[in-house]
Structures are given as C-alpha cells and as structure tokens.
Amino acid sequence: YERLRLSQREPHCGRDGARMRKFFAEAAEILDSVLRKDAYVSRELSANTPPMVERLVLGALENDVKSSCIISRLAEKRPKPVVTALLKVGIYALLEIDNVPDYAIVSECVEAAEILGKKDARGFVNAVLKKVARREYALPQKGEPDYLAVHYSKPDWFIKLLFARYGESLATTILETPAPDTVHVRANLRMGTIDTVRSVLDAHATEYQISEAGGLIMRPTPEIKEMFREGMVTYQSPSSMLAVQALAPRDGDRVLDACSAPGGKAVYISELCPHSEVVACDVHSHRVELVRAYAERMKANNVTAVEKDATVFDESFAEAFDSVLVDAPCSCLGTFRRHPDVLLRRGADSVKEIAALQRDILSVVVRYLKKGGVLIYSTCTVTEEENEQNADFIERELGLKPEVLPIARKNDGRLSLPPRDEWDGFFIARFRK
C-alpha cells in the first residue's frame, strides 16, 4: 500500500529530549537496515512508526549522497555502519529541520549513540555534527566532479539518465521538486463514489484536490485513515489508476493481472467490472497473500489470487483471457520521490537484466490472450530499455498491433509520464492481438 508521508511543515517532537533521542536512535536503526542490509524502507516503516522517525528516515535517504560527501570530508576514518546512519540522520535534521534548535539535535544524537550501543562514539558524533551545524565543510562546486550528484543528492548515473531522457530543463525541474507531502486515494466503487468520499471530507472541512485520474490528492487526515480502515477508500497512485483505465476492461470479460501484488490494479479492475473474473497472479506466496488481503478489505469477491510464475507457460491459461495487464516487475526508478531507497538497490547495470525478464514474461502471457484481446504493458520506471524497447518487442516479435489508449491524454498507443507533480514516472502501452 502506498505509504503516508509527513509534511515538512509539521511540528515534531517538542521539548522532550528523551523522546527526541529515542527518535534519532530508532531512525538510525531503520536507516542502517536499509543502507546495509538491503531492507525496504516501506516495510521497515509501519503504522506505529512515530511521524518524526518516518520523516528522519525518509529525509536521510533523500539526502544520502550529500550526507555521505559531508561525512567523508569531516571524518578521518570511515565510521561504523550504525554510527554512519546516525550521522546521516543528524545531518539531515541539521540541514532541513528548522523547528528544532541545532544544539538540541547535536546533543540528542550524541545521547542516541549510547542507546545504539556505541557509547564510545559519542565524542566523534558530537565533533562531526557540531562542524555540520557551523557549516564547516565544503561541497563540490559547479564544474567539479560530483557537483550535480551532491547538489541533487542523487547518484550520478541516475542524474545522467534523467538528463538524457527528458532534457536539461525538465530533468532539472524533476530533481529540484521536493517529494510530495500528500497522499492519493480513490473511492472503493463497491461502497460509494468519489462524491461519497468528498461529502465526508467536506463535512470535516478537509482540503483536497481531484486528480486527473479521478482520485483525491490530500494531506493524510484521521478521516481518510478511518475510511481506509473501513475499505471506503484505498491508497493508489494516479499512474497506477491510469494503467487500469487504459486497459478499459469490459464487464463480463475474463481478465488476467499477470504480475499483481500487492493487488491494487486487480481490485480496481474488479470494481469497474463487477461481473468479471479477475485472476491476479504473483510468483511469491507471501505476495499472493497480500493480494488476497487487499481484495478482502475492499470486498472484491471476483478477484482470484493465484501463485504463478509469469515466465513459465501454463497450458490451462492458453487463450483464456479477454484482456491481460502486465504491470511488469521493473527498476521502479519512476517512484524515486516516494521510495528514495530504490536508488540504493538499482543501478544502470541492472536495467538490461530486468528488461530481459520483462520480455520473458511478455512472451508467455501473450499466449494467454484470446484473439482480438487487449494487452496493456506498463512499468513504473523511466528507462528506454524497459519501456519503449519492450513496446517495440511486443509489436515486432510478438505480432500485436498498437492501439490508442482510451484516455483523455493525447497518445499514439504509448504514454510516458515523467515523475513530477502527482505522477510517478510511468509508461503505458496498449496492444490488440
């Protein structure tokens, strides 16, 4: 599910130093797991995570390249991993949080080192963070190596990718636009309409905007959280909604969501087509359970979750579906604003391998489509190898014909969305067999 983000303008932990040092320690532990143990930040953070801790973790991740540069210039030796994580949390707080005094941030980070079992590092943490508070460090200047990477706090390979993909002007805008502090929700059509949700929000004087995809953009509030618990709404990105709208499934058709987990698109299809059977597949059993749980919460009784490897042909599925959605496993680079840890586990070298996996999936699932059926191929990434080149593969090698997406946006059967405003970086292409 789409995680909640906290506004950078929210008040945080007040004057309680003991709570603050616990927040810094907890944030450092989570960050260390993400940086060193390849944990997913979306799994490390939970509904019980204090908002201040969530902000510190996400902010430190977004600031990771810059803080790494600062630490390298202020520390003679490389600190131990959890101390490095604590320093990165403290650096983010010193540079970006303006409602907590610098001396308090430094002091409580020092105390947090003891909570983390690194009492002997307290002096080191104190010395480094005091220098950061006084801005006693130098960052690369224009024209110097690593200037753009440190300035935008993004890996150099990713910055080059965005500049090549979108041009200097748009890429600069993408990199300079802060991550949104809002969430995007849509109504559960089994329980009401968007107007039903709006009436509840209006009754509580909650501000919101209607998105292009037909959902609501808003700050997280107790009302929207309660509606989520009741199944009246769900968190779903507008890009994800648009992929389903591009499929335009007909009620009564049999629909396959080939790479479904956690199940948001399959459930949305099931609401648009309440008399259809929606088969939602994933290769991992625990992710199949996520789909089942999602469908149960949303009362989507016409979704069947199945454990299935999409790269292995299943004769029982041969030409059995009127439409197929392949929201393929991808590098997820288009979601970097909401999931900053994606840049830690993906690199330029991984893209070709992922693109090959996507073609393996497409080569199998196209055989599940009836003649005359519709295939939607989508990703939440921005690379040409995973997007346009695979759309060419569908047309050239698999023999499907491109077809204009039945959405309001002008397109030629393909739509590439840059990661800006409410949109993730996303690619959608429609074909007919």
Side-chain angles (χ1 to χ4, degrees), residues 240 242-249 256-258 265 269 323-328 362 365 369 373-379 394 400 403-407 413 426-432:
S240 176
L242 201 64
V244 174
Q245 293 166 10
L247 182 65
L256 173 66
D257 184 0
K265 295 180 183 68
I269 293 169
S323 56
V324 173
L325 171 64
V326 181
D327 186 55
L362 289 165
V365 300
L369 194 60
V374 170
L375 170 75
I376 286 289
Y377 174 69
S378 64
T379 72
I394 295 169
L400 275 64
E403 193 169 84
V404 172
L405 308 176
I407 57 176
F426 218 82
F427 179 80
I428 308 170
R430 177 180 167 107
F431 300 89
R432 191 172 293 274

Side-chain angles (χ1 to χ4, degrees), residues 32-201:
D32 182 43
S33 293
V34 173
L35 295 176
R36 187 163 59 98
K37 303 174 184 176
D38 205 28
Y40 286 85
V41 69
S42 58
R43 296 176 190 170
E44 295 296 307
L45 299 174
S46 71
N48 297 320
T49 302
M52 178 59 165
V53 173
E54 180 174 351
R55 180 181 175 184
L56 289 170
V57 172
L58 296 177
L61 281 170
E62 291 165 357
N63 212 45
D64 183 64
V65 175
K66 181 182 289 185
S67 63
S68 294
C69 176
I70 292 172
I71 292 170
S72 71
R73 298 193 174 199
L74 294 180
E76 292 183 2
K77 291 195 259 182
R78 186 175 181 179
K80 295 194 174 171
V82 74
V83 176
T84 298
L86 178 60
L87 287 174
K88 289 183 175 183
V89 168
I91 290 170
Y92 166 74
L94 288 168
L95 298 183
E96 302 297 339
I97 293 179
D98 57 9
N99 60 347
V100 180
D102 285 357
Y103 72 84
I105 293 171
V106 174
S107 174
E108 301 313 327
C109 281
V110 170
E111 298 305 317
E114 186 167 354
I115 295 175
L116 294 168
K118 300 297 178 183
K119 185 176 180 179
D120 58 342
R122 293 167 78 247
F124 172 74
V125 170
N126 183 62
V128 171
L129 293 184
K130 278 187 174 179
K131 289 180 181 180
V132 175
R134 295 191 296 262
R135 306 301 191 263
E136 294 178 2
Y137 57 85
L139 297 177
Q141 301 300 303
K142 283 187 177 180
E144 294 181 1
D146 299 327
Y147 166 72
L148 289 178
V150 173
H151 179 70
Y152 293 119
S153 200
K154 299 289 181 292
D156 185 62
W157 64 265
F158 183 65
I159 293 173
K160 289 178 179 176
L161 170 63
L162 292 183
F163 272 68
R165 181 73 166 165
Y166 300 115
E168 182 177 353
S169 177
L170 179 53
T172 299
T173 298
I174 291 169
L175 289 165
E176 291 181 346
T177 302
D181 57 12
T182 54
V183 295
H184 185 270
V185 302
R186 67 168 182 82
N188 181 350
L189 301 179
R190 287 186 170 83
M191 299 183 67
T193 66
I194 187 173
D195 290 333
T196 310
V197 178
R198 291 176 64 187
S199 66
V200 175
L201 298 178

Side-chain angles (χ1 to χ4, degrees), residues 186-190 241-252 265-276 278 302:
R186 67 168 182 82
N188 181 350
L189 301 179
R190 287 186 170 83
M241 289 181 65
L242 201 64
V244 174
Q245 293 166 10
L247 182 65
R250 300 172 301 180
D251 197 15
K265 295 180 183 68
V267 168
Y268 187 28
I269 293 169
S270 80
E271 293 171 29
L272 296 174
C273 303
H275 302 100
S276 291
V278 182
N302 57 334

